[in-house]
Amino acid sequence: MKVYLSLTALKPDTPVLTHAVDISAYFSDTDPFIGFQAASSAYGADFAILSWSFESIAPATCPEDTLAPSGALHAYPNLIWPPNNKMVNVNLSGYVMDEMSIAREGDEIGISSAYLLIDDTDQIILLDDTTDLLDANGHFSVDIEVKASKGAEYMIELYASDTKPDEPNSGIVDKTFIRVPHNIDGGY
């Protein structure tokens, strides 16, 4: 809101070298502007408000939320050697968030659901109505086991949905691979 003031000196014969104006504005939930008080002085001279007006500026709005959440997914190790057909522990870590939902709603990470999909078959729920494996910043870390079979490749995908999008915008956020090469040179 912009407030315009026109001041007049109560003692017109007092020279005005500098002056300061203190304005206190009053707002309420139902009224955009109730009123204000102003005090001004210039080396002992008092001023009165001759006239005032204000210009209301529309509140800022967020653009439409049509983008899917963002994030990252990492697997460690992502290259397994030797291919001995044993089960190997792999850590999957990363983060997921939706900046537009955060800006619009003040939500912690702006995500309503998130999961990992391993080779289009196994699912690890990161966030839903009953599970929450995400920290306050949307970071996660889970361990899985994969078989060290010669030439195996495991695809891991991170999916997420944001809170109250303007258009449905859930989907894949990131993906990574875990590979078991045929030979030590990394050939598949």
Side-chain angles (χ1 to χ4, degrees), residues 29-87:
D29 293 337
T30 56
D31 245 345
F33 180 77
I34 296 173
F36 65 88
Q37 291 179 334
S40 179
S41 63
Y43 294 107
D46 291 329
F47 289 82
I49 299 171
L50 184 62
S51 65
W52 62 273
S53 65
F54 66 91
E55 176 183 327
S56 182
I57 300 172
T61 59
C62 289
E64 285 189 14
D65 186 3
T66 58
L67 299 174
S70 62
L73 172 62
H74 308 283
Y76 181 79
N78 62 358
L79 186 64
I80 298 173
W81 186 260
N84 57 12
N85 291 323
K86 291 185 179 179
M87 297 304 284

Side-chain angles (χ1 to χ4, degrees), residues 133-151:
L133 300 179
L134 303 175
D135 71 10
N137 297 313
H139 293 93
F140 63 89
S141 179
V142 295
D143 292 326
I144 62 169
E145 286 190 331
V146 296
K147 191 171 184 178
S149 301
K150 187 180 280 191

Side-chain angles (χ1 to χ4, degrees), residues 24 62 69-70 91 97 101 113 118 120 131 144 153-154 171 176 186:
S24 299
C62 289
S70 62
N91 178 262
M97 66 174 46
S101 293
S113 67
I118 303 163
D120 293 325
T131 304
I144 62 169
E153 181 176 82
Y154 302 94
T176 191

Side-chain angles (χ1 to χ4, degrees), residues 1 17 21 39 68 78 82 90 97 121 127 131 141 151 166 170-172 185:
M1 172 181 303
L17 301 174
V21 178
N78 62 358
V90 176
M97 66 174 46
T121 57
L127 177 66
T131 304
S141 179
D166 293 318
S170 60
I172 187 166
D185 295 332

